[in-house]
Amino acid sequence: MICEHKCGYALFLSIDSRPDVKATLLLESGIRIHTTEFEWPKNMMPSGFAMKCRKHLKTRRLVSVKQLGVDRIVDFQFGSDEAAYHLIIELYDRGNIVLTDHEYLILNILRFRTDEADDVRFAVREHYPVDIAKPAAPLPSLERLTEIITTSPKTEQIKRVLNPHLPYGATLIEHCLIETGFSGNTRIEQIDSKDIERLLAALQKAEEYMEVTDNFDGKGYIIQKREKKPSLEPEKPAEEILTYEEFHPFLFSQYTKCPFVEFDSFNKAVDEFYSKLEGQKIDLKALQQEKQALKKLENVRKDHEHRLEALHQAQEIDKVKGELVEMNLEMVDRAITVVRSALANQIDWTEIGALVKEAQAQGDPLASAIKELKLQTNHITMLLKNPYVFSEEEEEEEDGEVEEEVGEETKGKRKKKNKAKQPKKPQKNKPLLVDLDLSLSAYANAKKYYDHKRFAARKTQKTVEAAEKAFKSAEKKTKQTLKEVQTVTTIQKARKVYWFEKFLWFISSENYLVIAGRDQQQNEMIVKRYLRPGDIYVHADLHGATSCVIKNPTGDPIPPRTLTEAGAMALCYSAAWDARVITSAWWVHHHQVRGFLSASTVSEKVNPGSQPCEVCNSVLIGPVIP
């Protein structure tokens, strides 16, 4: 049986290796060839290529499997001589699967292409170029190896330089380098003339490995990679998961310190690797989703913390500003009165600013405290400080660096420019810029800041409550997301199919196996091939009744309940069951069955659809009610 993988680039070949034993060979273009014990997804409708393969290979015997030269091309031969067909699998680049006749004339091909380098066209009715396969080359000499090393870039790694010239592969070359004393990542510039002989010895070791693989019957190894799975609970450590990374027929030196899984054969290792690969891709995707979900939850937590910190700082700033206004009541009232008088006298705003600057130049302390006129909003900004704390240190700070604080309007501008920048916490006994409303007195301005502080406190409380609800909601969504991504679909291992499953069968209440034929051919097969000493034959002389055999390997008497259940099975497939006729079946021992009657001797009363056995001394089973 030939089926097609759901991806469209692989075939499944069911091969009868021994009687009642089937092996499924998986051929994936450009990837792999191995027998499999798993149930892979298959296309409901086979493609034209799969149908063509079924037509030519379905009844053929697999005669030989060989590699073409040292290329990654495998030739499966079905049949022999002029009746032979070849299924050629290319395992390099994008890969290909080619069906040819005994003369390698292409009958069908999975992927049409043209090899421009060799001027070969791969298409139907063209000959497959078996002769151009790369032959096995001898080990390079010391002179040739020296030439390769000297003409290569100095910064290039040795394994990458040698890989195109040798059939071993970079992994085996690296292993042999380590075994002969080199580092796996040794560069050309680190090699001198004395090391060339050691390098040649490493290649000789690789050649020995290749000779072993000609008739390989060893173990298989899957190299694993550690991944950290984040935990939702902070006190719980991150879970470590292992994913499959590579598979090899030998445990190479560069992987001895890595986690690995050992298998009895290389074929089992490959089958296990690819069967778990899809599930592990889903695992890794789920891992990324978990990290993203936890990152979102952490961002929500940080955002709430920043908001609460900003509200606490706003309360502190308003409190300090209110206290500074109270400490400088007289100066604040005078400043407000002076500016009000100027506005009442209809002095131009520009002129008022010039007057303030002039007074500041003359050293007026009141004018020096006024830092900005915001007459368009009916505000002024004053630099206020605690008059009860004065020192030389404060004088220096006042003359030099003044803490930069802004009022309500300035805060809005700064948020637009840089939303991420949080307001600085005011330091005690430091001069502070305070916005004052000209329509209010000094006491009223102080009260306004205290009101702002109380409002911010209430807002902080509401924010805390809302933050708790929002965080719980975000945590619930995160847990739900983590629960959803933990659902992983994997490829299930194929269940062993037992010999009796091709018949109708069941296990009786006393644990006896009962088998019955689906048609006349199976009825005859059951009696001739599977009726053994000690077994019981059950039947009914009705149209459509099937022949049942109760398997009894111990030879002990069969309990009545099992006989009744087998009789019910024989009758439920007869015409009496559909007609709801109450009737009985009968049973005999195996030695009472003389063989199937010929069709010419079957009476009209007996079911012609399942030629009954010639029996003697049959025993009736109690009536069965449909």
Side-chain angles (χ1 to χ4, degrees), residues 408-582:
E408 298 169 1
E409 197 169 323
T410 311
K411 278 184 187 177
K413 291 180 182 178
R414 288 186 63 190
K415 283 181 181 178
K416 289 180 183 178
K417 290 181 181 179
N418 188 3
K419 292 182 179 179
K421 195 169 183 179
Q422 298 295 332
K424 295 180 181 178
K425 187 175 181 180
Q427 297 180 11
K428 191 175 181 181
N429 301 326
K430 296 285 184 179
L432 194 64
L433 293 172
V434 181
D435 280 354
L436 300 169
D437 192 342
L438 294 175
S439 61
L440 302 176
S441 64
Y443 272 118
N445 274 287
K447 182 178 180 297
K448 184 183 75 169
Y449 280 111
Y450 288 135
D451 290 341
H452 285 172
K453 190 258 182 187
R454 284 191 292 271
F455 177 76
R458 289 194 297 269
K459 187 177 180 181
T460 302
Q461 183 61 31
K462 291 180 180 179
T463 302
V464 170
E465 295 173 359
E468 289 178 357
K469 292 181 181 179
F471 185 74
K472 286 181 180 179
S473 176
E475 190 174 18
K476 185 178 179 181
K477 289 181 180 179
T478 302
K479 288 181 178 179
Q480 181 64 26
T481 302
L482 296 179
K483 188 177 179 181
E484 289 174 358
V485 300
Q486 285 173 357
T487 304
V488 178
T489 57
T490 58
I491 298 169
Q492 300 296 327
K493 198 166 187 176
R495 183 181 63 84
K496 180 183 177 182
V497 179
Y498 294 95
W499 63 269
F500 53 81
E501 292 189 59
K502 57 188 172 185
F503 305 113
L504 301 171
W505 65 278
F506 73 94
I507 304 297
S508 72
S509 300
E510 285 87 8
N511 207 28
Y512 286 90
L513 172 65
V514 182
I515 60 174
R518 297 178 183 270
D519 51 28
Q520 176 183 342
Q521 185 179 3
Q522 284 197 351
N523 286 339
E524 185 175 352
M525 183 188 300
I526 286 174
V527 173
K528 289 185 176 181
R529 186 180 297 179
Y530 296 101
L531 187 62
R532 297 284 184 268
D535 295 348
I536 298 296
Y537 178 81
V538 182
H539 194 54
D541 296 331
L542 293 167
H543 179 79
T546 184
S547 295
C548 298
V549 171
I550 304 174
K551 301 299 293 179
N552 184 21
T554 61
D556 297 334
I558 301 293
R561 186 172 181 179
T562 297
L563 292 172
T564 303
E565 291 173 354
M569 183 180 191
L571 287 172
C572 72
Y573 289 97
S574 69
W577 189 266
D578 293 332
R580 296 186 177 276
V581 175
I582 300 176

Side-chain angles (χ1 to χ4, degrees), residues 61 63 136 148 184 218 301 364 384 397 425 439 466 469 501:
R61 181 182 179 85
V63 175
I148 294 172
R301 182 189 289 110
D364 188 344
L384 302 179
E397 291 175 354
K425 187 175 181 180
S439 61
K469 292 181 181 179
E501 292 189 59

Side-chain angles (χ1 to χ4, degrees), residues 318-451:
D318 288 334
K319 179 183 176 183
V320 172
K321 287 182 178 180
E323 290 175 350
L324 288 175
V325 172
E326 284 185 330
M327 293 176 186
N328 298 273
L329 280 176
E330 183 179 354
M331 184 172 63
V332 171
D333 273 332
R334 285 172 55 201
I336 291 174
T337 302
V338 169
V339 177
R340 279 179 182 175
S341 301
L343 292 173
N345 292 326
Q346 297 184 352
I347 301 175
D348 189 76
W349 290 357
T350 307
E351 190 175 344
I352 294 175
L355 292 174
V356 171
K357 289 182 179 179
E358 184 179 346
Q360 289 175 348
Q362 295 175 0
D364 188 344
L366 182 61
S368 300
I370 299 175
K371 295 299 180 183
E372 187 178 359
L373 296 174
K374 301 178 180 178
L375 301 179
Q376 64 274 13
T377 58
N378 202 34
H379 282 73
I380 61 171
T381 300
M382 295 186 68
L383 181 63
L384 302 179
K385 60 182 179 179
N386 189 343
Y388 305 106
V389 177
F390 191 80
S391 65
E392 294 181 358
E393 183 180 348
E394 285 189 6
E395 274 188 342
E396 293 176 0
E397 291 175 354
E398 185 180 348
D399 294 338
E401 181 182 9
V402 177
E403 182 176 355
E404 187 176 344
E405 273 299 334
V406 291
E408 298 169 1
E409 197 169 323
T410 311
K411 278 184 187 177
K413 291 180 182 178
R414 288 186 63 190
K415 283 181 181 178
K416 289 180 183 178
K417 290 181 181 179
N418 188 3
K419 292 182 179 179
K421 195 169 183 179
Q422 298 295 332
K424 295 180 181 178
K425 187 175 181 180
Q427 297 180 11
K428 191 175 181 181
N429 301 326
K430 296 285 184 179
L432 194 64
L433 293 172
V434 181
D435 280 354
L436 300 169
D437 192 342
L438 294 175
S439 61
L440 302 176
S441 64
Y443 272 118
N445 274 287
K447 182 178 180 297
K448 184 183 75 169
Y449 280 111
Y450 288 135
D451 290 341

